[in-house]
Amino acid sequence: MVIAVASDHGGFRLKLAVKEHLIERGYKVVDLGTDTEDSVDYPVYGQACGEAVAAGKANLGVVCCGTGIGISIAANKVKGVRCALCTSVEMAELAKQHNNANVLALGGRILETEEAIRITDAWLDSEFQGGRHKRRTDMLDAM
C-alpha cells in the first residue's frame, strides 16, 4: 500500500511525524512536499496529494496544514477524492466506515503529535462498511 503525504509550512512537522509512523507500520510513503517550514500555499500541496490518490499513484493520502481546513478543501477539489478533516479517533473511524475517506486531513497547530498518530491509525485500521454508505459515496463521486 502506498500513502501520499503532503503539507504546507503549518503542517510540516506533523507531516514528518506521520510519515515516519507510516513507514514504521510498513507502508510505502510518497512525500509530495513541502520540505521546509518556509511559507508556502496549501492549495498546491492539497491538490498534489489529491491528484496522486485520484490517479492511483497512491492508495490513500494524508495532508496537513495549520488547521487542516484549507488543505482539506484543496484536496476535495480533486474529482474522486473524499478528504476528511478529523480531530478525534471517532471521526477518523467514521470517516472511513461511512464515507470511505481516501485522504485524511490533520491540523498541525490543532493536534498534538500523539493524538494525530492515534487518529491516523484509527483511519487506516477502519474499513468501509458499504451498504447504504456505498450509495452515498457513489453520489459524491458522481458530483
Side-chain angles (χ1 to χ4, degrees), residues 14 63-73 75-76 82-95 99 101-108 110-111 119 123:
L14 184 58
V63 292
C64 305
C65 69
T67 63
I69 297 168
I71 204 161
S72 69
I73 293 169
N76 275 318
R82 290 177 306 282
C83 180
L85 170 57
C86 297
T87 57
S88 72
V89 166
E90 182 179 19
M91 287 177 74
E93 291 168 343
L94 292 170
N99 309 111
N102 53 10
V103 178
L104 174 67
L106 303 167
I110 305 299
L111 296 168
I119 289 167
W123 175 67

Side-chain angles (χ1 to χ4, degrees), residues 6-16 33-43 45-46 64-67 71 106-109:
S7 72
D8 73 353
H9 55 284
F12 174 70
R13 287 182 189 217
L14 184 58
K15 178 195 74 170
L16 291 181
T34 190
D35 300 321
T36 71
E37 289 184 277
D38 296 338
S39 182
V40 295
D41 299 320
Y42 61 79
Y45 300 94
C64 305
C65 69
T67 63
I71 204 161
L106 303 167
R109 295 181 184 133

